[in-house]
Amino acid sequence: MKEIYLINARIIDPKNNIDEIGGLIIDSNGAIKASGKKVANGNLPSSVNKIDLKKQVLIPGIVDMRVFVGEPGYEYKENFRTLSNAALSGGVTSVVSMPNTNPVIDNVSMVDFLKRRGRDKSKINIFPAASLTKNTEGKQMTEFGLLKRKGIVAFTDGIKTVQNPEVMSRIMNFASQSESLIMQHAEDNVLSNGGLINDGEISTRLGLKGIPFLAEKIIVERDLSFLEEYFCRYHISQISSKKTVSVIKKAKKEGKIFSTGVSINNLSLNENDIGDFKTFLKLSPPLRTESDRRALVESVNDGTIDVIVSDHKPEDEESKRLTFAQAATGASGVETLLPLALELFHNKSIKLNKLIAALTCNPAKILDINKGTLNKGADADLCIFDINKPWIVNKENIKSKSKNTPIEDRKLQGQVLKTFVKGELVYERN
Amino acid sequence: MAIIKKLKAIKKEQNHLLGIQDLSFSQISEILKQAKTFITLNKSNSKKLDILRGKTQINLFFEPSTRTQSSFELAGKRLGADVMSMNIVNSAIKKGETLIDTAMTLNAMHPDIIVIRHQDSGAPNLLSQKVNCSVINAGDGRREHPTQALLDALTIINRKGKVEGLKIAICGDILHSRVARSNIYLMNMLGAEVNVVAPKTLLPHSIERLGVKVFTDMKKGLDNCDIVMMLRLQNERMQGSFLPSAREYYEFYGLTPDKLKMAKKDALIMHPGPMNRGVEIDTNLADDINRSVIREQVELGVAIRMACLKIFCKGNQ
């Protein structure tokens, strides 16, 4: 592999507090040799071939902590190849795949299968998560130590929450030994039972059973109480309400160490967008009020929330062409994660470095993986985008196998131009 | 492409009755005016008209219903339509067919009107997007039951001359009630003042945003009311413990002569049926011919449904 010289880019590397015009050199092994303002045309030999990025933005490849693949069991919704194409077109180079497959990723042999499929069929880095409990039943914990040794980076029941407090406390107690990362989807099943959208005026008008914010808050409070007694690496997958934000702020002030994520959907949409029973906006956690949305946005900006995820959950049309109650939950979104996040920068809600950090170095740090930075020696996973390019989301251009985007026809500003994984140009917009 | 556009254009012209929320004041006035003409007809010896002759009406009831289904069936027949009531229990839906597939199958038979009742809120809306005929909502989940609200308004007008300026109390299980929601929208539009009375566990979130005053004390809620609208306690929808017991409910929220005293002397008692006597309403009050208009509601229901079928039926505007 030849060295690649990228020059004249706006380099943003939040981990190293860098936002400057400069370049980046990819060495012959696909790693970053140098980056920053010192990599400029004048400092480079004139003989080498340079790619002029014309002031486009260059950031570390995006790390998406919450993605559903579909393999094994739901290949008709998404497979590794289609996921890879979708992710790369959105500048996402690493994903944590959720274990809610069929069968569930809950044992060592499944991990080998995933790694092999991921390696053979996709160009992105797949970091598989295994389930917290066998078959995500919330009863028997999985083999954290053995699974971690096999390369599992995180443990979560994905779309499910460990309901039983005794099981959860033991999980947290046990997981600390292997320093395993626990990611909880916070939702009390009893309180949310039968619920479809946020409990509020909209649910009253649409006649849909509501999911109260308390269903989320109560699990976060419970787990943070356990964390006091059984310290472990703990991450709340995604939160949706203002009240949960307050709980997290208070806990962080008290010195508790944990991290929190939020779905781009909850940052960019609210319950009003559900309109006339749009099933593509049936999400978990549900879209809540505008005031909740604002609180979440502010929390990303002030660092209360560490990570933005796409919560990419491909669902085939048949699962969505049903009544709201019967329709599947979830939205496709890995390829629009960055452009939709940039909306929050363009409308001056979140500072650009905070936004990029929440998509790159923050998730990498939580996962303890060597990604999300432009450090010398790191894999050259890169995302290059035009920060101002306007475009409109069109279902037909979606690369994911499922087309259930919640933002069809939305006007976005910012588009990915090139994506590199391990120094190889794996995506380029025509 | 041109054909698709044309089809879309045709679809847009379809008239659906999905909820009171979608109706304009003039549409409501038209329905009520039309229904009045059918009241006399329904009392006469010759009840049959040919307004909908040659039209096909399909009743698609996914939930058990006695009065609404028979009311729609009779209404269609009296207008001369061919009426078919689908028996869902024996249909492909029980074999796992989706609502849209059922709709497309029925659509292929060229009905002019589909009357649907479904346990899921929004089901009529979904149906209306997929079929080429008019869709009439006969109750969806806890969202709307427009013809019930319209017949309630007609009953009130029949007795009181108008709805405007009246004080109406809707009492009971507001949380699970589509009748309550449709009535709140309709009575507000017609200029009434609406109180809702229920224990807090049976009140939906932010109900006051729909333009009602909320009372948990029934006596206060009934104070000086012209109309007392009781709702059925929907036991089959109670998934948790909303209430300690039927006895406790009756004590505080059942309509008794004592509580009714708070309302105006000539206040009317209404109930969409079926009633749970001794749970939400005193059995003697329910049968009091001076106060209770419950049977009149059923009677006028046919007239309202005839009016809706006539006005909303495809190609009949």
Side-chain angles (χ1 to χ4, degrees):
Chain A
M1 192 170 168
K2 271 172 71 177
E3 286 194 338
I4 299 170
Y5 296 83
L6 304 170
I7 58 162
N8 196 26
R10 178 179 172 189
I11 308 259
I12 303 180
D13 182 12
K15 173 95 181 274
N16 299 307
N17 251 324
I18 288 169
D19 184 351
E20 62 197 24
I21 298 294
L24 185 141
I25 306 170
I26 301 171
D27 72 15
S28 55
N29 296 319
I32 296 170
K33 190 173 173 185
S35 78
K37 59 186 169 200
K38 58 196 180 295
V39 184
N41 205 3
N43 298 340
L44 299 172
S46 55
S47 58
V48 298
N49 191 18
K50 301 172 210 96
I51 302 171
D52 186 346
L53 293 177
K54 297 179 179 140
K55 305 271 192 312
Q56 307 293 10
V57 181
L58 188 162
I59 62 169
I62 292 166
V63 181
D64 189 344
M65 279 179 81
R66 191 173 170 86
V67 162
F68 295 81
V69 188
E71 276 197 59
Y74 305 108
E75 290 83 357
Y76 58 96
K77 293 182 179 179
E78 187 89 285
N79 59 39
F80 279 110
R81 188 180 52 81
T82 53
L83 172 70
S84 171
N85 290 341
L88 292 173
S89 73
V92 174
T93 55
S94 299
V95 304
V96 177
S97 61
M98 292 295 107
N100 309 85
T101 47
N102 187 15
V104 166
I105 311 303
D106 62 2
N107 64 69
V108 172
S109 64
M110 295 298 300
V111 182
D112 286 333
F113 167 82
L114 273 190
K115 280 167 118 179
R116 200 170 57 245
R117 291 289 294 173
R119 190 188 58 224
D120 295 350
K121 298 291 170 188
S122 85
K123 290 174 177 167
I124 53 173
N125 307 296
I126 308 272
F127 292 99
S131 65
L132 271 175
T133 62
K134 288 266 161 65
N135 204 27
T136 66
E137 281 167 4
K139 291 175 190 159
Q140 172 69 45
M141 67 179 97
T142 50
E143 298 159 322
F144 299 148
L146 292 173
L147 285 160
K148 191 167 185 238
R149 217 181 266 170
K150 271 281 178 185
I152 291 291
V153 294
F155 295 85
T156 175
D157 275 356
I159 55 172
K160 291 198 192 165
T161 308
V162 178
Q163 299 293 326
N164 185 324
E166 188 180 48
V167 173
M168 192 60 201
S169 63
R170 284 185 182 151
I171 282 172
M172 292 172 84
N173 199 4
F174 189 86
S176 60
Q177 296 171 40
S178 52
E179 291 182 16
S180 298
L181 173 65
I182 303 301
M183 307 200 296
Q184 179 82 289
H185 170 73
E187 182 178 23
D188 184 285
N189 279 0
V190 177
L191 287 175
S192 70
N193 184 26
L196 299 165
I197 63 171
N198 180 46
D199 194 24
E201 185 188 344
I202 305 284
S203 68
T204 296
R205 282 185 186 278
L206 293 179
L208 298 174
K209 191 171 179 212
I211 302 172
F213 72 85
L214 281 166
E216 173 177 282
K217 181 172 174 247
I218 216 160
I219 293 290
V220 169
E221 283 176 330
R222 179 196 76 177
D223 285 2
L224 291 177
S225 300
F226 288 146
L227 197 64
E228 247 171 59
E229 307 304 317
Y230 313 111
F231 182 73
C232 69
R233 289 169 63 208
Y234 177 77
H235 176 75
I236 305 158
S237 288
Q238 36 182 6
I239 62 166
S240 63
S241 92
K242 198 174 168 174
K243 292 285 177 83
T244 312
V245 167
S246 313
V247 173
I248 288 165
K249 274 196 175 141
K250 188 165 162 270
K252 287 204 168 172
K253 207 178 256 176
E254 287 166 2
K256 286 183 187 157
I257 298 166
F258 62 98
S259 54
T260 310
V262 65
S263 158
I264 188 66
N265 298 323
N266 291 90
L267 291 176
S268 311
L269 298 158
N270 66 34
E271 57 177 355
N272 293 302
D273 292 302
I274 293 163
D276 192 13
F277 300 96
K278 286 186 204 146
T279 57
F280 283 17
L281 283 91
K282 183 179 176 186
L283 305 172
S284 173
L287 297 173
R288 297 199 188 270
T289 64
E290 176 59 11
S291 138
D292 287 311
R293 190 194 70 83
R294 280 167 189 266
L296 295 170
V297 168
E298 209 171 284
S299 305
V300 174
N301 204 32
D302 69 19
T304 307
I305 291 176
D306 307 272
V307 177
I308 302 173
V309 297
S310 71
D311 192 24
H312 176 71
K313 194 158 178 293
E315 291 293 345
D316 58 309
E317 206 169 329
E318 294 313 310
S319 315
K320 286 288 191 182
R321 272 173 32 135
L322 295 167
T323 62
F324 205 88
Q326 292 166 355
T329 303
S332 162
V334 70
E335 51 205 290
T336 48
L337 172 60
L338 175 66
L340 198 48
L342 286 172
E343 191 178 79
L344 298 163
F345 156 70
H346 288 301
N347 67 23
K348 300 185 171 58
S349 303
I350 301 179
K351 291 188 283 286
L352 190 58
N353 70 328
K354 282 279 182 191
L355 200 63
I356 303 300
L359 293 166
T360 58
C361 58
N362 291 357
K365 187 182 170 200
I366 293 162
L367 294 163
D368 193 22
I369 56 175
N370 188 21
K371 297 287 178 190
T373 76
L374 300 178
N375 283 347
K376 190 183 170 195
D379 285 339
D381 292 355
L382 311 170
C383 164
I384 295 156
F385 62 95
D386 178 340
I387 199 164
N388 292 316
K389 170 87 177 169
W391 63 290
I392 297 170
V393 180
N394 181 347
K395 208 151 104 176
E396 273 148 36
N397 298 336
I398 285 176
K399 293 193 168 51
S400 167
K401 202 162 185 177
S402 297
K403 316 293 179 197
N404 56 321
T405 172
I407 50 162
E408 192 174 11
D409 297 331
R410 187 140 163 164
K411 296 182 180 76
L412 297 178
Q413 200 182 347
Q415 197 167 46
V416 174
L417 303 171
K418 288 184 176 68
T419 308
F420 287 84
V421 173
K422 297 193 178 92
E424 190 192 340
L425 179 63
V426 283
Y427 171 79
E428 188 166 20
R429 190 170 297 276
N430 299 323
Chain B
M1 199 63 197
I3 297 166
I4 293 172
K5 267 188 186 157
K6 208 174 162 192
L7 274 176
K8 269 190 180 164
I10 293 168
K11 271 190 82 69
K12 241 188 172 173
E13 287 165 20
Q14 295 306 328
N15 244 348
H16 304 294
L17 176 56
L18 303 178
I20 299 292
Q21 291 178 90
D22 310 322
L23 295 180
S24 65
F25 185 77
S26 66
Q27 278 175 304
I28 290 166
S29 309
E30 197 194 339
I31 295 167
L32 294 172
K33 197 175 124 200
Q34 187 64 251
K36 277 183 202 162
T37 68
F38 292 132
I39 299 177
T40 0
L41 177 88
N42 285 336
K43 284 179 182 159
S44 72
N45 280 329
S46 174
K47 301 183 178 68
K48 189 105 170 173
L49 294 179
D50 60 0
I51 295 170
L52 295 185
R53 192 167 64 193
K55 306 279 184 195
T56 307
Q57 173 191 337
I58 297 178
N59 292 339
L60 197 54
F61 278 62
F62 291 84
E63 269 186 346
S65 156
T66 319
R67 65 197 70 211
T68 306
Q69 187 168 350
S70 49
S71 183
F72 267 110
E73 200 167 324
L74 214 49
K77 284 178 175 164
R78 285 189 182 164
L79 292 176
D82 296 315
V83 184
M84 180 180 84
S85 289
M86 293 272 296
N87 190 348
I88 301 300
V89 183
N90 298 327
S91 78
I93 293 134
K94 286 279 170 194
K95 298 173 196 155
E97 191 175 67
T98 66
L99 177 63
I100 288 181
D101 286 336
T102 308
M104 294 322 284
T105 307
L106 295 176
N107 195 44
M109 301 178 196
H110 303 292
D112 300 281
I113 203 154
I114 294 179
V115 178
I116 177 177
R117 166 169 291 189
H118 200 283
Q119 63 278 8
D120 290 344
S121 302
N125 306 50
L126 181 66
L127 188 73
S128 72
Q129 290 160 18
K130 305 292 170 186
V131 294
N132 282 315
C133 66
S134 306
V135 173
I136 293 194
N137 182 3
D140 66 323
R142 38 173 97 167
R143 193 181 74 104
E144 281 238 34
H145 191 352
T147 56
Q148 177 69 44
L150 287 162
L151 76 87
D152 289 342
L154 186 64
T155 310
I156 294 169
I157 291 166
N158 217 23
R159 286 293 188 110
K160 300 274 179 193
K162 61 177 171 90
V163 172
E164 196 181 347
L166 297 185
K167 203 168 165 187
I168 299 174
I170 305 176
C171 314
D173 184 1
I174 312 284
L175 178 66
H176 298 101
S177 177
R178 52 193 173 217
V179 176
R181 284 171 178 76
S182 284
N183 263 314
I184 289 169
Y185 303 132
L186 184 62
M187 300 307 160
N188 266 328
M189 272 179 93
L190 295 176
E193 193 185 317
V194 182
N195 290 350
V196 297
V197 180
K200 282 185 176 173
T201 48
L202 292 177
L203 281 168
H205 202 289
S206 307
I207 185 72
E208 70 286 351
R209 301 277 302 238
L210 269 52
V212 295
K213 275 194 201 146
V214 181
F215 294 87
T216 49
D217 180 333
M218 191 162 182
K219 285 190 171 171
K220 284 182 187 158
L222 292 191
D223 186 35
N224 210 27
C225 279
D226 300 280
I227 308 289
V228 181
M229 214 179 260
M230 299 305 298
L231 298 171
R232 188 164 64 92
L233 195 57
Q234 309 214 356
N235 284 315
E236 82 275 14
R237 295 225 182 104
M238 298 266 178
Q239 289 171 1
S241 62
F242 288 93
L243 300 164
S245 70
R247 187 170 67 176
E248 169 121 355
Y249 183 76
Y250 185 71
E251 177 65 26
F252 293 95
Y253 297 97
L255 187 63
T256 54
D258 176 48
K259 292 187 198 106
L260 188 62
K261 271 186 208 150
M262 298 302 292
K264 281 192 186 148
K265 274 211 170 78
D266 58 350
L268 301 178
I269 301 168
M270 304 179 78
H271 194 298
M275 276 183 282
N276 299 309
R277 291 170 186 265
V279 176
E280 70 247 0
I281 188 162
D282 175 88
T283 189
N284 292 328
L285 277 183
D287 296 330
D288 181 350
I289 48 163
N290 295 318
R291 310 296 294 270
S292 164
V293 290
I294 296 170
R295 264 175 225 121
E296 196 170 324
Q297 286 175 276
V298 179
E299 183 193 336
L300 300 192
V302 180
I304 276 291
R305 279 151 192 146
M306 287 168 81
C308 290
L309 291 171
K310 184 187 171 191
I311 290 166
F312 288 94
C313 185
K314 178 186 175 187
N316 216 56
Q317 301 88 355

